[in-house]
């Protein structure tokens, strides 16, 4: 404000000085040449209005009019009005006002032009700075995108066609920029994902939600697959009401991380399976030890009881005979239990050996039937034999093969109800001899069938089960048959429908 006041005061001073100078020069020239009085005052008005504006020009006009009227128009001063003098004075005033107005307009136009020029200069400088920043930003973006090799970064148009491709995309996906530009980005998806519309779904989700992210398998140029984590971002022009211009996709190769996670999962599953198997084995061993204790205690209790009664001498002849038979039967049972335990121990240590020789399987089967005949007689079970007497000689251990047949027959008799039937068949095939033992007993459940030949596994491990024994016969038989190079299989149509055990022994000699 103070600056404006000083500027106005200076303009008014110029107007006064200009009028005074005009007066002095006019007075001088008037005396010498008697010239017209107005030209120099016009100059004073012009200088004042050009320098200071309309108001200083108006002041110069008023002062000039007063000076001219006072000093050079005596008729006006004496109130004797002269028409020519008055008209000239009025013309001077009007022309001076016109000069003031024109100069004021010229000053305004000049000021506006200066303002426009300054504004244009400022706009040009801002535009230049914006262009520099834009070029810098584009260069930084280019350097960033081209320099990032751990990520595949590429641009697409609104239809999903690739328009830009960085070095990371070349490294990860294998396509050079020249051969991928213009292709649809679905070429990096698996065929099954393309069939399910996954590429289009990714673009639609990006437009709807502002971003689409996913983890899935992708396809390289050479057909190799990699696990990628991708993000699709829509590119919109905010100056055109957010009109969609295309898409940007960023993709990272996480195959190694995926494989590591899968390996950890597999290790965890194997560890869990091993722990479950170990726990199951421990439970089976505990059940087996409890069962062994029970099975060893039962015949020993009977033996001790009858021996005690024999020692008293109070039994008659018939009772003594019954006592001796009972002691003998339980002692044999005890011996068989111990032999089974010893055989399992030898199998575990790998020390079960064979004494091989030429073996007649018919003789082996007949000897086994004689041993277990008393068991079938006690339950009134019929043993039917269908034997091919033209069997070739088997190279094997007579006693161990007899043990296998005894175990299978004892097992069949044990699980067959009274008055049932057990059938044993011997036949030839091209490569081996085949022995089948078929019973009409309780059968085997499908759930237990995979574990039928395992040690420490029984369908009923409780101490209150109705069928006695350690349940080691099948495991021992399985191992003996394998030592002979043969196989043993179990079949059953289910509970209550009997079971069939098939032993195959190869015709081999040494």
């Amino acid at each position: 404000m103070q600056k404006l006041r000083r500027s106005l005061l200076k303009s008014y001073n110029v107007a006064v000085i200009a009028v005074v100078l005009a007066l002095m020069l006019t007075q001088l020239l008037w005396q010498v040449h008697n010239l017209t009085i107005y030209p120099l005052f016009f100059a004073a008005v012009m200088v004042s209005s050009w320098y200071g504006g309309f108001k200083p020009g108006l002041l110069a006009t008023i002062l000039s009019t007063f000076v001219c009227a006072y000093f050079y128009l005596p008729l006006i001063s004496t109130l004797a009005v002269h028409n020519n003098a008055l008209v000239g004075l009025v013309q001077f005033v009007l022309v001076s006002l016109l000069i003031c107005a024109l100069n004021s307009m010229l000053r305004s136009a000049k000021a506006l032009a200066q303002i426009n020029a300054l504004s244009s200069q400022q706009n040009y400088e801002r535009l230049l700075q914006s262009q520099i920043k834009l070029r810098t930003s584009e260069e930084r973006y280019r350097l960033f995108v081209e320099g990032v090799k751990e990520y595949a970064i590429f641009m697409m148009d609104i239809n999903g066609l690739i328009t830009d491709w960085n070095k990371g995309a070349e490294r990860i996906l294998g396509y050079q920029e020249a051969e991928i530009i213009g292709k649809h980005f679905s070429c990096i998806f698996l065929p099954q994902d393309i069939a399910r519309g996954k590429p289009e779904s990714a673009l639609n989700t990006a437009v709807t939600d502002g971003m689409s992210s996913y983890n899935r398998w992708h396809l390289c140029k050479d057909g190799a697959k990699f696990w990628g984590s991708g993000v699709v971002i829509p590119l919109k022009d905010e100056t055109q009401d957010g009109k969609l211009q295309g898409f940007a996709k960023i993709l990272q190769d996480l195959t190694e991380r995926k494989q590591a996670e899968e390996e950890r999962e597999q290790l965890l599953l194997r560890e869990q399976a091993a722990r479950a198997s170990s726990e199951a084995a421990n439970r089976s061993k505990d059940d087996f030890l409890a069962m062994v204790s029970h099975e060893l205690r039962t015949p020993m209790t009977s033996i001790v009881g009858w021996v005690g009664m024999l020692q008293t001498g109070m039994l008659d002849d018939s009772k003594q005979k019954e006592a001796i038979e009972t002691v003998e039967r339980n002692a044999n049972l005890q011996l068989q239990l111990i032999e089974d335990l010893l055989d399992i121990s030898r199998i575990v240590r790998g020390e079960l050996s064979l004494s091989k020789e030429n073996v007649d399987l018919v003789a082996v089967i007949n000897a086994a039937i004689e041993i277990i005949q008393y068991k079938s007689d006690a339950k009134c079970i019929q043993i039917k034999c269908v034997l091919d007497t033209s069997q070739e000689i088997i190279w094997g251990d007579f006693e161990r093969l007899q043990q296998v047949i005894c175990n299978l027959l004892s097992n069949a008799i044990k699980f067959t109800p009274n008055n049932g039937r057990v059938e044993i068949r011997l036949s030839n095939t091209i490569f081996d001899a085949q022995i089948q033992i078929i019973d009409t007993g309780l059968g085997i459940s499908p759930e237990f069938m995979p574990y039928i030949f395992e040690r420490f596994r029984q369908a009923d491990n409780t101490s209150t089960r109705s069928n006695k024994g350690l349940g080691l016969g099948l495991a021992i038989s399985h191992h003996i048959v394998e030592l002979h190079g043969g196989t043993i299989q179990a079949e059953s149509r289910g509970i209550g429908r009997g079971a069939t055990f098939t032993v195959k022994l190869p015709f081999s000699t040494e």
Side-chain angles (χ1 to χ4, degrees):
M1 183 64 70
Q2 294 294 333
K3 185 176 180 181
L4 179 60
R5 288 178 180 176
R6 287 196 298 269
S7 178
L8 288 174
L9 182 59
K10 186 176 181 180
S11 299
Y12 293 146
N13 292 334
V14 169
V16 173
I17 293 171
V19 172
V20 171
L21 288 175
L23 174 61
M24 293 174 64
L25 290 173
T26 300
Q27 186 67 27
L28 179 63
L29 294 174
W30 177 271
Q31 293 176 0
V32 175
H33 298 287
N34 194 23
L35 298 177
T36 304
I37 61 175
Y38 295 114
L40 293 177
F41 289 101
F42 277 131
V45 172
M46 185 176 295
V47 171
S48 299
S49 60
W50 178 258
Y51 182 79
F54 184 79
K55 291 181 179 181
L58 181 60
L59 176 61
T61 300
I62 294 172
L63 291 176
S64 296
T65 302
F66 176 77
V67 169
C68 289
Y70 186 80
F71 288 101
Y72 300 106
L73 298 177
L75 294 178
I76 296 177
S77 63
T78 60
L79 300 181
V81 179
H82 190 280
N83 290 334
N84 292 332
L86 182 60
V87 170
L89 185 61
V90 171
Q91 289 177 345
F92 171 76
V93 172
L94 292 177
V95 172
S96 296
L97 292 176
L98 179 61
I99 291 173
C100 291
L102 291 175
N103 281 338
S104 178
M105 293 174 62
L106 288 174
R107 282 174 54 83
S108 299
K110 181 180 179 183
L112 182 60
Q114 291 177 345
I115 293 173
N116 290 336
L118 180 60
S119 177
S120 299
Q121 181 65 25
Q122 292 175 346
N123 290 335
Y124 173 76
E125 292 177 355
R126 285 196 294 267
L127 178 60
L128 185 61
Q129 291 296 326
S130 297
Q131 291 177 343
I132 294 174
K133 290 181 179 179
L134 179 60
R135 284 196 297 269
T136 303
S137 177
E138 290 177 348
E139 183 66 16
R140 288 177 178 174
Y141 166 77
R142 186 187 65 79
L143 293 175
F144 169 73
V145 172
E146 294 299 327
V148 174
K149 296 184 179 181
E150 298 301 322
Y151 293 86
I153 303 175
F154 55 92
M155 306 298 172
M156 301 171 284
D157 62 13
I158 58 176
N159 297 317
L161 301 180
I162 297 173
T163 59
D164 189 50
W165 192 257
N166 81 327
K167 295 295 183 182
E170 292 182 3
R171 185 187 67 82
I172 294 175
L173 293 162
Y175 292 95
Q176 297 297 317
E177 185 177 18
E179 60 185 346
I180 195 66
I181 296 298
K183 289 187 177 181
H184 197 273
F185 85 114
S186 61
C187 65
I188 68 173
F189 283 72
L190 300 183
Q192 55 268 33
D193 288 338
I194 297 176
R196 289 195 290 265
K198 294 296 184 180
E200 292 77 11
S201 176
L203 297 183
N204 294 334
T205 302
V207 173
T208 304
D209 300 340
M211 184 183 70
S212 174
S213 60
Y214 54 83
N215 296 327
R216 64 165 57 95
W217 289 104
H218 292 76
L219 199 62
C220 296
K221 176 185 176 180
D222 59 1
K225 294 193 301 182
F226 72 94
W227 183 260
S229 177
V231 177
V232 178
I233 303 172
L235 303 177
K236 298 181 179 181
D237 189 350
E238 299 300 333
T239 63
Q240 300 183 18
D241 297 329
K243 182 180 179 181
L244 182 65
Q245 299 295 316
F247 300 90
K249 182 177 176 65
I250 303 174
L251 188 63
Q252 184 181 13
D253 185 359
L254 299 179
T255 305
E256 293 183 359
R257 184 186 302 177
K258 177 69 173 176
Q259 292 174 346
E261 291 176 354
E262 291 179 349
E263 289 177 0
R264 284 196 297 269
E265 291 178 358
Q266 292 297 324
L267 289 174
L268 179 60
L269 291 176
R270 287 196 291 267
E271 190 272 336
Q272 291 175 346
R275 186 188 301 116
S277 177
S278 177
E279 292 175 353
N282 289 332
R283 287 194 300 270
S284 297
K285 290 179 181 179
D286 292 340
D287 294 340
F288 175 75
L289 290 176
M291 182 177 59
V292 167
S293 300
H294 176 75
E295 291 297 328
L296 292 176
R297 188 185 303 111
T298 300
M300 186 60 66
T301 301
S302 179
I303 292 173
V304 171
W306 282 106
V307 169
M309 286 188 289
L310 285 173
Q311 288 177 341
T312 61
M314 298 174 58
L315 300 178
D316 56 20
D317 292 341
S318 61
K319 285 294 183 181
Q320 287 182 3
K321 182 178 178 182
E322 179 183 358
I324 293 173
E325 291 176 352
T326 302
V327 169
E328 182 182 10
R329 184 171 62 254
N330 282 280
N332 290 331
L333 177 60
Q334 189 89 328
L335 180 62
Q336 184 61 49
L337 293 175
I338 294 173
E339 286 294 334
D340 287 346
L341 289 174
L342 291 175
D343 284 342
I344 283 294
S345 177
R346 295 187 188 100
I347 291 173
V348 171
R349 297 195 307 270
E351 296 177 356
L352 185 64
S353 59
L354 301 179
S355 298
K356 290 187 176 182
E357 59 183 347
N358 290 328
V359 176
D360 183 358
L361 290 180
V362 175
V364 171
I365 293 173
N366 290 329
I369 292 175
E370 289 180 3
I371 294 174
I372 55 90
Q373 187 68 54
Y374 75 96
K375 293 184 180 180
S376 61
D377 294 341
K379 298 182 67 174
C380 298
I381 293 176
Q382 177 187 1
I383 298 179
K384 180 181 178 182
C385 295
V386 181
L387 307 179
D388 184 355
T389 56
S390 63
Q391 280 290 327
E392 297 184 19
I393 299 299
I394 296 296
W395 183 256
D397 189 319
F398 186 96
E399 292 185 358
R400 289 299 184 183
L401 291 176
Q402 176 183 297
Q403 182 181 359
V404 170
I405 304 302
C406 285
N407 286 340
L408 295 178
L409 286 174
S410 297
N411 211 52
I413 293 170
K414 182 190 301 183
F415 292 101
T416 299
N418 293 344
N419 301 311
R421 180 172 57 87
V422 174
E423 182 177 342
I424 180 169
R425 298 177 181 177
L426 175 62
S427 60
N428 278 330
T429 65
I430 298 177
F431 303 104
D432 52 33
Q434 179 174 283
I435 304 172
Q436 285 186 309
I437 297 177
I438 307 167
D439 64 63
T440 57
L442 298 179
I444 306 169
S445 67
E447 294 79 11
F448 186 68
M449 184 65 73
Y451 313 106
I452 191 70
F453 294 109
E454 288 188 6
R455 301 189 300 270
F456 310 121
R457 298 295 292 267
Q458 280 191 316
D460 182 8
N461 281 334
T462 63
S463 59
T464 59
R465 66 193 191 284
S466 58
N467 297 294
K468 304 301 180 180
L470 297 179
L472 297 176
L474 291 179
I476 295 172
S477 299
H478 183 269
H479 189 73
I480 292 174
V481 171
E482 285 188 340
L483 288 178
H484 283 81
T487 61
I488 181 170
Q489 295 177 337
E491 299 176 7
S492 178
R493 291 182 294 174
I495 299 299
R497 307 186 68 176
T500 300
F501 286 84
T502 302
V503 177
K504 294 181 179 180
L505 298 170
F507 294 129
S508 60
T509 60
E510 292 191 11

